[in-house]
Amino acid sequence: MAKELYFQDINVKDQMPVLVKGPVKHMQLVRYAGASGDFNPLHVDPEVGKAVGIGGQIAHGMLVMGFVGQALAGWIPKKYLRKFSVRFVGMTRLNEVVTVTGKVTDKKQESGNNIIRGEVFARDQKEELLIAGSFEAHLPEKK
């Protein structure tokens, strides 16, 4: 759970805490398939990924997006997050470690709100980009 965070405590270029997840395991993908209802064979059957030429089983993009959301919510209390969007860039394969990073790119007061905006990224252990995204939060002022 994120600690309280105030507008005065954040500056442009501040880095969010790094979150490292994984390595991604087959059983994790099977469990995620059960929870999400996404049983696409690319996520649960290693032979299908080989047969279609992508080299094996890949993780659900939404699972990796969830890692990014976990990182954000671990830094900024969920009640302050207003926007979160991602673009899926690369595939996450079995046994890869996913590292989530991000930083504040804008800070302003607008229409009575204390707004911060930022960018987030998920990369594998080879630094290949898996997800690129953005967020917006409205933070309270310290009294």
Side-chain angles (χ1 to χ4, degrees):
M1 178 181 261
K3 297 184 307 185
E4 190 64 42
L5 193 63
Y6 296 100
F7 188 65
Q8 295 90 335
D9 298 332
I10 298 292
N11 296 297
V12 172
K13 297 185 182 178
D14 280 357
Q15 302 283 322
M16 64 186 273
V18 174
L19 178 68
V20 178
K21 298 293 285 188
V24 173
K25 296 295 185 189
H26 174 78
M27 186 54 69
Q28 180 180 21
L29 299 183
V30 171
R31 287 181 177 151
Y32 187 82
S36 68
D38 181 355
F39 286 96
N40 183 322
L42 291 173
H43 304 308
V44 295
D45 186 345
E47 297 307 316
V48 171
K50 291 176 188 169
V52 299
I54 60 171
Q57 192 175 359
I58 59 172
H60 304 73
M62 294 300 286
L63 173 64
V64 181
M65 179 181 166
F67 296 162
V68 177
Q70 180 185 0
L72 262 177
W75 179 41
I76 299 171
K78 288 185 275 188
K79 61 187 175 186
Y80 302 140
L81 288 171
R82 296 294 184 264
K83 295 179 183 174
F84 170 48
S85 64
V86 300
R87 180 171 51 91
F88 300 103
V89 180
M91 293 184 282
T92 305
R93 300 180 185 287
L94 282 185
N95 299 313
E96 287 188 339
V97 174
V98 177
T99 301
V100 180
T101 61
K103 69 178 179 182
V104 175
T105 58
D106 188 28
K107 175 182 177 180
K108 66 174 72 169
Q109 292 183 307
E110 190 176 278
S111 302
N113 294 309
N114 302 313
I115 301 169
I116 62 167
R117 293 184 178 98
E119 57 190 15
V120 290
F121 302 98
R123 291 184 169 84
D124 65 18
Q125 69 274 8
K126 294 172 283 188
E127 293 293 318
E128 291 183 9
L129 189 59
L130 305 170
I131 282 182
S134 62
F135 68 91
E136 179 179 303
H138 296 189
L139 300 178
E141 285 190 42
K142 199 179 285 181
K143 307 244 178 199

